[in-house]
Amino acid sequence: LWRIGYSARLLKTNHFRTAASNTSFPAVWMLLAQYSGRVPGLFVVVKKNNFFTMPETVEDKANLELYLPHPEVRGMTQLNREAFKRTIVVPVLKVKKEIVNTLLKSIKHMVLQRPGLKRVVEDPKDEDSRLVILDPHKITEFSLGESDQEVLKELNVHPEVSKYNLELTYENYKLEEILRAILPEGQEVTSGFSRVGHIAHLNLRDHQLPYRHLIGQVIIDKNPGITCVVNKTSIIDSTYRNFQMEVLAGESNLVTKVKENNTTYELDFSKVYWNPRLSTEHGRIVELLKPGDVLIDVFAGIGPFAIPAAKKKCCVFANDLNPESYSWLLHNCKLNKVGNKIKAFNMDGRDFLLGPVREELSRELPLLKEEQKTSFHIVMNLPALAIEFLDVFRHLLAGEPCSTAGLPTVHCYSFSKHDDPAKDVQERAEASLGTSLDGRCCTYLVRNVAPNKEMLCISFQIPAEVLYKRPCPDG
């Protein structure tokens, strides 16, 4: 409901180009689709989930109680898989093995439908028969209703329901069921995890820390392909955008490979910044570019903006202060065979803008003509600090603009905890630039980072009066 109201407010105020998350409310999609065709510059982006959550089970309370692991596992901190063995009594039908498939189609509404559990087992007393396991929540008191009995009679199946002892083991339980059974009652199970190649990245709460190694092992057991689980132990360092982490389970190999938007990257997750939740945003910016455009990436990381842009035949200048990020950027340029299309730098962002970027713009912008379609895009993806760098553009170039159409477009990212985050980000950008952006910018909601904390991207062409320092008149 909060997202519905929030999206409607953003559309109404026309401050946002809104990214709509997957939702089950058709009315919101209709509203967004309607506005996307009517408001200039507004469009809808469907966000894909690039992270994994441990969802609440959709089964009812009775179902939860039936499939709960043994109560003795509560409070376990060292994983003991044997302790999860439990026997439950379920209803079964005895059926001749040659008609099992036909029967399953006819009574599928009452057959046990639980991942990992067989619906049909051998009859220990009759090798020519099979036992079809029924859902105990649909077959009350181990008896069938009249309509179900009629179906069985048509198939010459005796409608008598028998009891069967079904053994459940650790392998039969879902990840969230195991964690819910182990952690103290009433406490949050987990906050979800991001997957980066073979690594699962957690942000555990304080009450979960005593169980952290067990949680890590269960995640490995229940997610094929994950061989390492880490937990973030500090906030992101604003200088190099990495954070301290603890390996909770599995191998300690933090060098991994990921694929995003049809591009492959390799990285050391402990030394560089990578967030799979930004996949849609990376793709959105690259989609704005045309072959021949120039992309200037001030805080490039390992290249999620730069490398796809180079693959699109754009000229790219990519910079990152972190020596590790710079090293992996060069590595990924070679990996994707775009090394000759990207000029990489290992500099402070401000020095990069005042040095190589100023030189490039001073050389290329005077050559642009009104009819030329080359665009310059400057990406500044350092949400904690990027707005503070916008003052660099004040009188960065000398002279007069030859083409207002050729003025560079900036895509600057920022966090906001303000009640009106779009207004907040615009006002802070204006303070850094020293001019108003009313009617000259658009603000895009990237994602909700935390309660009352948004990540946004403000995009605007640098006003000529900001970018250029005009020469003083004679005298």
Side-chain angles (χ1 to χ4, degrees):
L1 290 174
W2 177 86
R3 286 198 177 277
I4 294 175
Y6 192 49
S7 297
R9 278 203 319 277
L10 303 184
L11 288 166
K12 184 176 180 181
T13 57
N14 196 20
H15 279 309
F16 275 79
R17 294 163 73 182
T18 307
S21 299
N22 289 331
T23 177
S24 59
F25 301 101
V28 177
W29 283 112
M30 292 292 290
L31 181 62
L32 292 174
Q34 178 184 12
Y35 271 91
S36 68
R38 289 170 50 189
V39 180
L42 178 67
F43 59 94
V44 177
V45 176
V46 179
K47 296 174 87 62
K48 298 180 180 178
N49 285 328
N50 293 284
F51 57 97
F52 300 78
T53 59
M54 286 167 265
E56 295 292 329
T57 178
V58 296
E59 298 167 326
D60 58 25
K61 184 177 180 181
N63 212 353
L64 282 174
E65 292 175 352
L66 178 64
Y67 296 116
L68 277 178
H70 198 284
E72 290 183 359
V73 305
R74 178 77 66 191
M76 178 189 295
T77 56
Q78 299 238 340
L79 183 60
N80 177 8
R81 297 176 181 85
E82 289 297 312
F84 286 83
K85 283 187 177 180
R86 184 187 174 194
T87 300
I88 62 173
V89 179
V90 294
V92 294
L93 282 174
K94 183 174 180 177
V95 183
K96 290 296 181 181
K97 63 181 182 181
E98 57 267 18
I99 66 165
V100 166
N101 289 335
T102 302
L103 178 70
L104 289 175
K105 293 178 182 178
S106 301
I107 64 168
K108 61 183 179 180
H109 64 282
M110 59 180 177
V111 175
L112 181 68
Q113 303 283 349
R114 182 173 170 85
L117 288 180
K118 293 182 178 180
R119 296 179 296 171
V120 181
V121 296
E122 293 185 358
D123 185 346
K125 300 178 181 178
D126 183 358
E127 64 180 15
D128 293 326
S129 297
R130 297 290 183 266
L131 299 178
V132 176
I133 302 177
L134 306 179
D135 189 333
H137 298 102
K138 297 178 181 177
I139 310 301
T140 57
E141 299 180 353
F142 290 83
S143 62
L144 299 174
E146 291 184 7
S147 59
D148 292 328
Q149 291 186 36
E150 290 297 325
V151 172
L152 297 180
K153 286 180 181 179
E154 292 178 5
L155 297 171
N156 293 320
V157 176
H158 194 279
E160 180 183 0
V161 177
S162 305
K163 294 182 179 180
Y164 177 78
N165 292 329
L166 177 65
E167 184 180 69
L168 299 178
T169 67
Y170 174 81
E171 285 69 30
N172 299 129
Y173 293 108
K174 303 172 186 177
L175 184 148
E176 66 272 14
E177 290 171 338
I178 293 173
L179 298 184
R180 185 174 283 110
I182 290 172
L183 290 164
E185 285 189 85
Q187 292 191 358
E188 183 184 3
V189 174
T190 76
S191 55
F193 65 92
S194 301
R195 183 164 184 169
V196 182
H198 67 275
I199 302 168
H201 169 219
L202 299 170
N203 292 321
L204 294 180
R205 306 292 175 84
D206 288 344
H207 72 270
Q208 298 163 345
L209 294 178
Y211 309 91
R212 62 189 184 280
H213 297 294
L214 182 147
I215 292 172
Q217 186 57 56
V218 176
I219 288 175
I220 288 177
D221 291 345
K222 298 298 178 178
N223 292 275
I226 289 182
T227 58
C228 175
V229 179
V230 300
N231 181 46
K232 176 179 166 182
T233 59
S234 69
I235 62 173
I236 293 178
D237 173 71
S238 60
T239 303
Y240 286 164
R241 290 196 295 177
N242 52 19
F243 50 82
Q244 297 298 313
M245 62 182 71
E246 177 188 12
V247 176
L248 303 182
E251 61 185 6
S252 296
N253 176 23
L254 296 178
V255 175
T256 189
K257 179 183 288 188
V258 296
K259 191 167 186 178
E260 179 185 275
N261 300 329
N262 298 316
T263 300
T264 300
Y265 304 90
E266 293 179 352
L267 62 135
D268 185 334
F269 190 55
S270 66
K271 296 179 179 178
V272 303
Y273 178 79
W274 180 265
N275 190 339
R277 291 174 172 85
L278 296 178
S279 170
T280 300
E281 181 62 11
H282 296 151
R284 182 183 75 89
I285 294 297
V286 173
E287 187 67 24
L288 300 176
L289 306 176
K290 305 182 299 296
D293 282 352
V294 178
L295 175 71
I296 297 167
D297 195 348
V298 184
F299 312 105
I302 66 168
F305 288 113
I307 291 174
K311 291 173 69 174
K312 202 171 180 179
K313 298 183 179 179
C314 296
C315 177
V316 179
F317 292 76
N319 171 74
D320 202 278
L321 176 62
N322 183 354
E324 288 288 338
S325 295
Y326 173 72
S327 177
W328 284 105
L329 171 62
L330 295 178
H331 174 83
N332 287 310
C333 287
K334 292 180 181 178
L335 182 66
N336 289 279
K337 301 179 181 179
V338 292
N340 61 332
K341 298 179 182 177
I342 296 179
K343 296 180 181 179
F345 301 85
N346 179 207
M347 304 173 66
D348 173 79
R350 187 173 292 273
D351 294 337
F352 173 63
L353 289 168
L354 291 171
V357 174
R358 173 190 270 167
E359 292 175 10
E360 177 68 11
L361 296 179
S362 297
R363 180 171 55 251
E364 296 298 327
L365 290 186
L367 303 178
L368 293 180
K369 298 178 181 178
E370 289 290 346
E371 64 272 13
Q372 288 184 308
K373 297 182 179 180
T374 299
S375 297
F376 286 77
H377 292 262
I378 302 175
V379 175
M380 304 175 71
N381 185 19
L382 185 64
L385 296 172
I387 280 185
E388 298 177 14
F389 285 74
L390 293 179
D391 67 304
V392 172
F393 295 117
R394 293 193 189 188
H395 298 168
L396 181 67
L397 306 180
E400 294 282 347
C402 294
S403 168
T404 55
L407 292 170
T409 298
V410 172
H411 308 282
C412 183
Y413 293 82
S414 181
F415 295 130
S416 177
K417 295 183 178 181
H418 198 274
D419 290 339
D420 188 342
K423 179 180 179 183
D424 172 50
V425 169
Q426 180 176 330
E427 288 178 349
R428 287 192 284 130
E430 290 173 340
S432 288
L433 292 168
T435 192
S436 172
L437 292 176
D438 278 345
R440 299 195 282 189
C441 71
C442 59
T443 310
Y444 182 90
L445 175 62
V446 177
R447 69 186 187 98
N448 176 247
V449 178
N452 302 316
K453 184 178 181 180
E454 310 292 343
M455 178 179 175
L456 305 99
C457 174
I458 182 168
S459 297
F460 58 89
Q461 271 194 307
I462 307 175
E465 68 272 17
V466 172
L467 185 61
Y468 285 90
K469 180 180 181 180
R470 290 172 173 78
C472 294
D474 292 343

